[in-house]
Amino acid sequence: MISVAIDGPSGAGKSSMAKTLAAELGFIYVDTGAMYRSIGLYGMRKGIDLHNEETVKELLKEISIRLAFEDGSQHIYLNNEDVSQEIRKEEAGMAASAVASQTAVRQFLLDLQRNLAQNHNVLMDGRDIGTVILPNATVKIYLTASVQARTERRCKQLQEKGQSADFETVKKDIEQRDWQDINRKTAPLKKAEDAFEVDTSDMTLEQSFETMLQLIRKQAGLKGESI
Ligand code: DC
């Protein structure tokens, strides 16, 4: 099986890149952030203290998470309920961030993520895929962009959705999330030694896509067609 690990800070474009690349290559796209978001959502609904590791650990016993691939897109089921839309809300992102630093939560998701890569050709994105989950991934990419570029893109996205976007506030949020991801004790965000770094600060979407596609094909020994 071929596995492509894509890690990097939030807002670097990992999920949109991974999604299009997976479609092009005929691989399954595994969005690991969605799994953390689902656990966060469940805890939020239960009204528990998401920072209390013991309580969250107990809660894991009630949770089952399943990914399904329907009509070319990934759906995530939390105890058989499709929560693909709901986990995209800002609060679910915050809840995910609270539980993602906890060892029990990361352990809970580890097997699920590894099993997917054992049974399918995957493109998996997250923060610790190349370092912890798939240390023997066929190709590892560390996708990054400057804080300035990521802030500009995020502001544009928000404006397109008709939401207000204050540059300095968005920038501070991005810096804060970087700090949290890089400095947490368990599975912090870092570039694997054997990962290729792709900095998209000065690239268009098309250029980022082409750069990554060529890199993956070359490293995985794939010809120019999907397999
Ligand atoms: O990529 P995202 O915004 O959907 O991720 C949601 C949260 O989960 C974010 O705080 C980072 C965390 N996360 C993680 O710690 N490890 C992963 N493999 C994926 C996401």
Side-chain angles (χ1 to χ4, degrees):
M1 286 294 151
I2 297 173
S3 52
V4 180
I6 303 182
D7 293 301
S10 61
K14 292 187 302 293
S15 60
S16 44
M17 275 300 131
K19 218 178 283 173
T20 25
L21 286 164
E24 174 72 25
L25 293 161
F27 287 16
I28 281 176
Y29 164 51
V30 181
D31 170 5
T32 61
M35 299 177 181
Y36 290 94
R37 286 170 179 265
S38 299
I39 295 177
L41 175 68
Y42 190 77
M44 223 167 69
R45 285 178 176 175
K46 288 266 165 176
I48 63 148
D49 174 6
L50 292 165
H51 293 277
N52 183 323
E53 297 206 18
E54 280 312 308
T55 321
V56 173
K57 195 173 169 183
E58 277 304 303
L59 200 76
L60 293 174
K61 295 178 184 155
E62 301 170 15
I63 297 180
S64 91
I65 288 175
R66 180 168 58 83
L67 288 189
F69 302 91
E70 296 158 6
D71 318 319
S73 67
Q74 177 188 269
H75 287 253
I76 188 152
Y77 288 85
L78 169 65
N79 296 340
N80 287 326
E81 174 194 350
D82 187 344
V83 290
S84 314
Q85 297 296 323
E86 204 174 342
I87 55 162
R88 292 293 140 214
K89 292 187 184 150
E90 199 60 31
E91 309 90 83
M94 296 300 282
S97 172
V99 297
S101 61
Q102 300 172 23
T103 312
V105 173
R106 304 205 73 89
Q107 197 60 36
F108 178 77
L109 293 177
L110 186 126
D111 287 339
L112 181 62
Q113 294 169 2
R114 282 195 182 152
N115 284 341
L116 284 164
Q118 238 159 37
N119 298 314
H120 308 272
N121 289 329
V122 292
L123 233 136
M124 195 177 283
D125 82 356
R127 306 294 189 284
D128 62 337
I129 310 305
T131 50
V132 178
I133 306 296
L134 305 175
N136 298 317
T138 321
V139 190
K140 297 181 188 177
I141 297 175
Y142 189 80
L143 190 68
T144 188
S146 66
V147 171
Q148 179 74 18
R150 287 185 284 140
T151 308
E152 283 166 10
R153 288 176 197 164
R154 181 81 187 123
C155 285
K156 198 163 159 243
Q157 269 174 359
L158 288 169
Q159 280 156 3
E160 280 166 5
K161 280 194 212 160
Q163 294 170 17
S164 64
D166 172 59
F167 190 87
E168 285 308 318
T169 312
V170 172
K171 187 170 170 213
K172 240 189 231 142
D173 273 6
I174 287 181
E175 284 170 338
Q176 161 107 28
R177 284 188 74 173
D178 282 0
W179 196 91
Q180 279 172 1
D181 283 350
I182 292 166
N183 292 292
R184 69 168 177 234
K185 275 195 237 107
T186 317
L189 167 67
K190 75 168 186 244
K191 178 177 168 288
E193 272 177 22
D194 50 351
F196 292 90
E197 181 163 334
V198 177
D199 185 329
T200 65
S201 305
D202 299 317
M203 291 184 195
T204 61
L205 272 179
E206 291 72 24
Q207 287 168 333
S208 310
F209 174 79
E210 273 308 316
T211 305
M212 293 176 76
L213 184 63
Q214 297 316 325
L215 186 61
I216 294 167
R217 282 193 171 139
K218 183 158 178 265
Q219 295 304 316
L222 300 174
K223 298 273 185 303
E225 73 273 358
S226 53
I227 58 167

